[in-house]
């Protein structure tokens, strides 16, 4: 018999070791899943953990997936540290893409290079505006931000659908629900020829550095985190909880909107109903696997991006459904939640076991 015994204090070792154990368990369960589906588990794991890394082009595609995930996760980490539960980053991502797409559709062959910074700015403002709705309802009417942000994600998808099926539909697109392809001048500059990787990667890395400085080297970042952990203590110290709420949601929404703008003006090149790719929800896993720390999230972003690419490869090469990506993401989240138990508890054998390691 085994039992859980509370630790006198949280284990620093398991706070870092829990994600590694969760990944190992995910791999083991994934192996069993491939066997149950009648597929070669070695080949299946190779598609997830080797194929995305084996060539320069593959690494470029990995960075294409990692860029929006990291940007959104950085904003979500700021919210979660402030105890603001923004679950609707997917909606902010979509509205950012819509706002950016609206600016991109204004461009023509004579439009100058100024257009792509304007597209990115529109995406940021669109995401911030969508997150501001959540902040307003939480601040003025004490609405639950979890429900509001989540429901607004579905509203955002409906807004996108209305536009691509209606006023923005390409008249020369053979009745497909999509806008026309954006003009070449609107494309986000790429980092290297032959790759779809854009300067969005540099923006994401700069965002990670900026978040680290803000959280751990500024008074405002300290105040935001104190407000999340102990609102009463924050008020006593003169910190403003309302300011923390608005700051966290606006920055988070802006980061998600920027990710949407980078996608539609980069790899996608137009607005379609398939713009919602689940990045806003997957970034929640990225944030918690990365322990809400910029460095940790950079690592977990790569892992989640490998799951995305592995799922696509498993679909084309093994004949498995693309939903396998979501299965691996869910496995990682649930095993992480289970393994996090070891931070506050130790496993003991026998009812009479005492002492601790």
């Amino acid at each position: 018999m085994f039992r859980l015994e509370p630790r006198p204090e949280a284990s620093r070792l398991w706070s870092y070791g829990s994600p590694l154990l969760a990944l190992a368990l995910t791999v083991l369960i994934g192996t069993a899943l491939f066997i149950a589906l009648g597929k070669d588990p070695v080949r299946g794991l190779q598609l997830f953990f080797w194929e995305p890394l084996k060539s320069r082009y593959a690494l470029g595609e990995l960075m294409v997936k990692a860029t929006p995930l990291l940007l959104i996760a950085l904003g979500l980490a700021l919210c979660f540290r402030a105890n603001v539960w923004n679950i609707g980053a997917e909606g902010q991502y979509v509205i950012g893409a819509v706002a950016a797409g609206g600016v991109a559709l204004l461009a023509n062959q004579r439009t100058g290079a100024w257009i792509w910074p304007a597209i990115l700015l529109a995406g940021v403002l669109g995401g911030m505006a969508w997150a501001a709705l959540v902040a307003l309802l939480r601040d003025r009417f004490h609405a639950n931000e979890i429900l509001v942000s989540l429901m607004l994600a579905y509203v955002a998808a409906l807004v996108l659908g209305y536009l691509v099926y209606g006023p923005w539909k390409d008249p020369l697109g053979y009745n497909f629900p999509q806008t026309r392809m954006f003009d070449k001048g609107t494309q986000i500059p790429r980092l290297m020829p032959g790759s779809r990787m854009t300067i969005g990667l540099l923006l994401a890395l700069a965002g990670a550095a900026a978040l680290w400085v803000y959280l751990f080297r500024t008074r405002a970042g300290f105040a935001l985190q104190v407000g999340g952990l102990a609102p009463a203590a924050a008020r006593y110290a003169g910190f403003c909880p309302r300011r923390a709420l608005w700051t966290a949601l606006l920055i988070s929404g802006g980061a998600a909107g920027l990710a949407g703008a980078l996608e539609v003006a980069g790899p996608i090149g137009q607005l379609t109903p398939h713009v919602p790719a689940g990045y806003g929800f997957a970034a929640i896993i990225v944030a918690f696997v990365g322990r809400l720390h910029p460095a940790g999230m950079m690592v977990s972003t790569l892992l989640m991006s490998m799951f995305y690419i592995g799922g696509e490869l498993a679909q084309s090469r093994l004949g498995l459904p693309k939903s396998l990506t979501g299965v691996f993401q869910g496995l990682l989240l649930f095993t992480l939640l289970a393994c996090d138990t070891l931070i506050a508890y130790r496993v003991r054998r026998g009812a009479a076991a005492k002492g601790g390691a």
Side-chain angles (χ1 to χ4, degrees):
M1 291 292 294
F2 293 92
R3 63 187 178 87
L4 293 176
E5 177 184 281
R7 296 180 184 273
E9 60 183 24
S11 171
R12 186 177 180 86
L13 173 63
W14 278 111
S15 65
Y16 295 103
S18 176
L20 299 177
L21 179 59
L23 176 59
L25 291 174
T26 300
V27 171
L28 288 176
I29 297 173
T31 300
L33 181 61
F34 282 122
I35 294 174
L37 293 172
K39 304 297 182 181
D40 180 4
V42 175
R43 178 59 176 158
L45 293 177
Q46 183 183 31
L47 293 177
F48 276 83
F49 296 102
W50 170 243
E51 292 289 335
L53 304 172
K54 74 173 188 178
S55 67
R56 179 179 176 182
Y57 177 79
L59 287 172
E61 289 300 296
L62 186 68
M63 295 302 106
V64 169
K65 298 289 187 184
T67 297
L69 282 173
L70 180 57
L71 280 170
I72 300 172
L74 291 171
L76 290 179
L78 186 66
C79 277
F80 297 154
R81 282 182 174 270
N83 201 27
V84 177
W85 295 93
N86 178 16
I87 307 299
E90 182 78 358
Q92 295 142 30
Y93 167 86
V94 171
I95 293 299
V98 168
V103 175
L105 289 172
L106 298 175
N108 54 46
Q109 294 181 351
R110 297 185 299 274
T111 304
W114 60 267
I115 190 66
W116 68 261
I119 290 172
L120 296 186
L121 178 60
V124 171
L125 294 178
M128 291 177 71
W130 210 243
L133 293 176
V134 182
L136 178 64
L137 292 173
R138 160 76 184 271
D139 185 25
R140 294 294 299 275
F141 303 103
H142 305 288
N144 186 299
E145 74 273 16
I146 297 176
L147 296 177
V148 173
S149 61
L150 182 59
M151 293 300 101
L152 282 176
Y154 296 103
V155 175
L158 293 173
V159 171
L160 172 65
Y162 165 74
L163 293 172
V164 298
Y165 279 93
W168 289 2
K169 186 176 181 179
D170 184 5
L172 303 178
Y174 302 98
N175 208 34
F176 285 101
Q178 60 190 26
T179 66
R180 65 175 175 83
M181 293 296 295
F182 300 152
D183 189 79
K184 186 177 180 180
T186 66
Q187 293 181 356
I188 306 300
R190 299 187 177 184
L191 288 181
M192 62 179 67
S195 172
R196 299 194 302 160
M197 184 169 51
T198 69
I199 62 168
L201 177 63
L202 300 181
L203 295 177
L205 295 176
L211 181 63
W212 182 86
V213 172
Y214 178 77
L215 287 176
F216 306 117
R217 290 295 183 271
T218 67
R219 181 182 183 275
F222 175 73
L224 182 140
Q225 295 181 81
V226 171
L229 292 172
R235 286 190 292 269
Y236 180 79
F239 301 149
C240 180
R242 293 184 63 213
R243 181 181 300 172
L245 169 70
W246 281 90
T247 298
L249 279 170
L250 290 179
I251 292 178
S252 180
L258 176 59
L262 287 168
E263 280 292 290
V264 297
I268 300 177
Q270 64 180 158
L271 287 175
T272 76
H274 304 294
V275 167
Y279 290 143
F281 298 117
I284 298 174
I285 305 176
V286 170
F288 280 104
V289 173
R291 291 301 187 228
L292 306 183
H293 191 285
M297 287 185 289
M298 291 171 66
V299 177
S300 60
T301 295
L302 294 178
L303 177 62
M304 195 61 62
S305 302
M306 292 167 71
F307 286 172
Y308 268 103
I309 294 176
E312 295 171 358
L313 293 176
Q315 181 185 26
S316 61
R317 300 184 185 181
L318 296 181
L320 294 174
K322 189 179 179 181
S323 56
L324 194 64
T325 298
V327 172
F328 269 84
Q329 292 175 354
L331 283 174
L332 182 61
L333 176 60
F334 283 117
T335 53
L336 178 67
L337 293 174
C339 293
D340 276 355
T341 303
L342 298 174
I343 298 176
Y345 295 87
R346 56 166 66 94
V347 179
R348 285 288 179 246
R349 184 175 183 178
K354 295 182 179 180

